């Protein structure tokens, strides 16, 4: 057993400390830990072990995510091309993680939302009772001055029996200094499906349209080895049938309880944004073949909106402005049970 000591005087509170270990035998063969075998692309290997020196001033009742960037790479983190970073969370260090900006209109805000992709060698654990995940979202609260809307709405869907992401507020420290109060949002992927008790090999689609196409403004997240024919057919059947013919198709191909739960939570939380985009569709491909919704991007809820001639920084809250067209060309009735 070999040991080494890093003197505490080498670092100050809130600083990151990283190290690696090398060994060589008598024949000259050497090894390194972490191995750092993959040094290119977005799915790389951890380069260092590490920790963060305790900082009493950063203690908080919120979970604390500590994020470290090489000085000078901050603007790269604010781009789609991204950069590499290190994270410390729950007494665990994650090195050489891929970090990039996420979102649409929120990218123009002074405080951004970010996506972190973890390496195959070391996935992220956001809760001791849940498995590790490969990808997480840390969303801005710049337009949510209550700091709780997103997490509260995900909980509302969960309480209603609609499957979806785990979400909670975080204190984010960046390079040892306070950065923001943000919202953790679990990524909809195979890990989430498995945690919710669904087959991770089912078809999962991220939707950016009003259920008008199975190919345009659609991202397939699972079963990417096959095409979108199942979604194309689903959209066509729903839009082209009517009356009893439509009713029979719906009962044969849709998870009715799950969709009713989703729609009820959508009305209660006034999730107007999902009328045009910001929802997932999942099909239990290998089982029942039925479809259901998963909620997504829940910042414009409980009275906040982004409609025609509005701004996402607008703090006006309303609940009864009905029957008008949004910037996306969708007519909505926020106070009506059939919103969206």
């Amino acid at each position: 057993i070999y040991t080494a000591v890093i003197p505490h005087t080498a670092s100050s509170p809130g600083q990151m400390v990283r190290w690696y270990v090398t060994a060589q035998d008598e024949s000259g063969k050497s090894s390194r830990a972490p191995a750092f075998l993959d040094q290119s692309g977005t799915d790389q290997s951890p380069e260092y072990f590490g920790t963060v020196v305790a900082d009493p001033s950063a203690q908080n009742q919120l979970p604390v995510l500590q994020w470290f960037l090489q000085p000078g790479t901050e603007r790269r983190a604010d781009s789609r091309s991204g950069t590499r970073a290190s994270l410390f969370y729950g007494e665990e260090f994650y090195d050489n993680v891929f970090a990039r900006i996420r979102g649409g209109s929120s990218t123009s805000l002074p405080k951004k939302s970010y996506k972190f992709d973890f390496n195959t060698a070391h996935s992220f654990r956001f809760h001791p009772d849940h498995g590790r995940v490969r990808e997480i979202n840390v969303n801005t609260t710049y337009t949510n001055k209550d700091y709780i809307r997103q997490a509260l709405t995900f909980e509302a869907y969960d309480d209603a029996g609609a499957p979806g992401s785990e979400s909670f507020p975080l204190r984010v420290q960046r390079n040892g200094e306070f950065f923001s109060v943000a919202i953790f949002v679990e990524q909809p992927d195979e890990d989430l499906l498995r945690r919710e008790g669904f087959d991770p090999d089912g078809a999962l689609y991220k939707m950016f349209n009003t259920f008008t196409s199975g190919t345009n403004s659609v991202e397939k997240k699972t079963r990417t080895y096959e095409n979108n024919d199942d979604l194309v057919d689903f959209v066509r059947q729903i839009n082209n049938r009517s009356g009893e013919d439509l009713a029979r198709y719906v009962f044969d191909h849709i998870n009715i309880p799950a969709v009713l739960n989703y729609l009820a939570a959508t009305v209660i939380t006034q999730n107007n944004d999902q009328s045009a985009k910001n929802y997932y569709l999942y099909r239990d491909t290998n089982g029942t073949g039925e479809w259901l919704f998963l909620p997504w991007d829940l910042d414009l809820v409980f009275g906040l909106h982004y409609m025609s001639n509005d701004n996402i920084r607008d703090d006006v809250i309303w609940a009864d402005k009905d029957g008008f067209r949004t910037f996306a060309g969708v007519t909505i009735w926020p106070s009506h049970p059939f919103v969206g």
Side-chain angles (χ1 to χ4, degrees):
I1 299 175
Y2 296 85
T3 63
V5 175
I6 301 174
H8 71 89
T9 55
S11 304
S12 56
Q15 283 192 324
M16 172 179 64
V17 180
R18 297 191 297 178
W19 65 90
Y20 64 91
V21 179
T22 58
Q24 189 175 56
D25 64 16
E26 292 179 346
S27 63
K29 295 179 180 179
S30 63
S31 63
R32 183 190 194 279
F36 195 36
L37 299 176
D38 190 347
Q39 303 176 26
S40 63
T42 57
D43 183 19
Q44 298 187 18
S45 303
E47 185 175 2
Y48 297 97
F49 300 113
T51 189
V52 175
V53 179
D55 182 3
S57 68
Q59 298 304 308
N60 199 278
Q61 291 188 26
L62 297 178
V64 179
L65 177 71
Q66 305 213 47
W67 176 14
F68 294 89
L69 286 166
Q70 187 73 25
T73 64
E74 292 85 358
R75 293 188 66 177
R76 284 158 54 186
D78 287 348
S79 70
R80 300 291 182 186
S81 56
T83 188
R84 312 305 296 186
S86 297
L87 297 178
F88 186 76
Y89 181 81
E91 302 303 317
E92 195 164 350
F93 185 80
Y94 303 88
D95 188 55
N96 204 27
V97 173
F98 180 66
R100 67 166 177 86
I101 200 171
R102 70 161 304 273
S105 53
S106 65
T107 59
S108 64
L109 298 173
K111 284 292 173 73
K112 321 291 185 187
S113 296
Y114 297 94
K115 186 177 291 292
F116 296 95
D117 290 315
F118 294 84
N119 303 313
T120 304
H122 195 187
S123 297
F124 186 76
R125 186 181 295 278
F126 66 88
H127 192 283
D129 294 340
H130 300 318
R132 294 182 179 273
V133 297
R134 287 288 311 280
E135 186 176 332
I136 65 169
N137 304 276
V138 177
N139 286 354
T140 180
T141 54
Y142 192 83
T143 60
N144 287 176
K145 295 176 177 59
D146 49 87
Y147 294 100
I148 199 67
R149 255 186 178 83
Q150 297 176 61
L152 184 65
T153 307
F154 275 112
E155 285 191 13
Y157 276 99
D158 186 58
D159 288 345
S165 305
E166 291 286 299
S167 180
F168 50 85
L170 287 170
R171 175 187 173 118
V172 180
Q173 298 282 116
R174 196 161 86 173
N175 288 353
E177 298 181 351
F178 173 76
F179 182 69
S180 71
V181 173
I183 300 294
F184 169 90
V185 181
E186 180 185 11
Q187 178 67 19
D189 57 14
E190 294 95 335
D191 296 324
L192 181 149
L193 294 173
R194 189 178 294 107
R195 181 184 60 75
E196 288 280 11
F198 294 104
D199 179 7
D201 194 39
L204 182 66
Y205 293 92
K206 186 177 183 180
M207 304 295 291
F208 301 90
N209 65 48
T210 59
F211 198 69
T212 53
S213 174
T215 54
N216 296 327
S217 300
V218 170
E219 290 181 5
K220 192 168 190 178
K221 298 298 185 179
T222 61
R223 299 180 70 90
T224 53
Y225 52 82
E226 63 184 16
N227 57 31
N228 293 19
D229 283 355
D230 57 348
L231 180 60
V232 171
D233 183 65
F234 184 45
V235 171
R236 182 174 61 249
Q237 298 291 348
I238 291 293
N239 287 322
N240 292 338
R241 292 172 182 256
S242 62
E244 288 299 317
D245 186 37
L246 174 60
R248 283 192 296 270
Y249 183 86
V250 165
F251 276 96
D252 287 342
H253 294 87
I254 291 177
N255 185 328
I256 299 296
V259 170
L260 287 176
N261 293 340
Y262 173 89
L263 294 175
T266 296
V267 173
I268 291 168
T269 61
Q270 276 198 315
N271 181 12
N272 301 316
D273 224 10
Q274 63 89 50
S275 303
K277 55 186 177 66
N278 289 342
Y279 62 96
Y280 279 79
L281 284 173
Y282 169 76
R283 184 187 183 216
D284 185 15
T285 309
N286 301 322
T288 64
E290 294 178 338
W291 295 83
L292 56 82
F293 286 103
L294 277 75
W296 185 242
D297 204 356
L298 303 178
D299 56 337
L300 298 177
V301 292
F302 287 119
L304 285 182
H305 53 92
Y306 184 12
M307 307 308 169
S308 54
N309 303 316
D310 290 330
N311 190 296
I312 58 173
R313 304 188 194 200
D314 190 352
D315 292 329
V316 175
I317 297 173
W318 48 257
D320 56 359
K321 184 179 178 182
D322 286 342
F324 67 98
R325 289 179 69 79
T326 72
F327 73 100
V330 179
T331 302
I332 68 167
W333 293 265
S335 65
H336 194 283
F338 293 160
V339 57

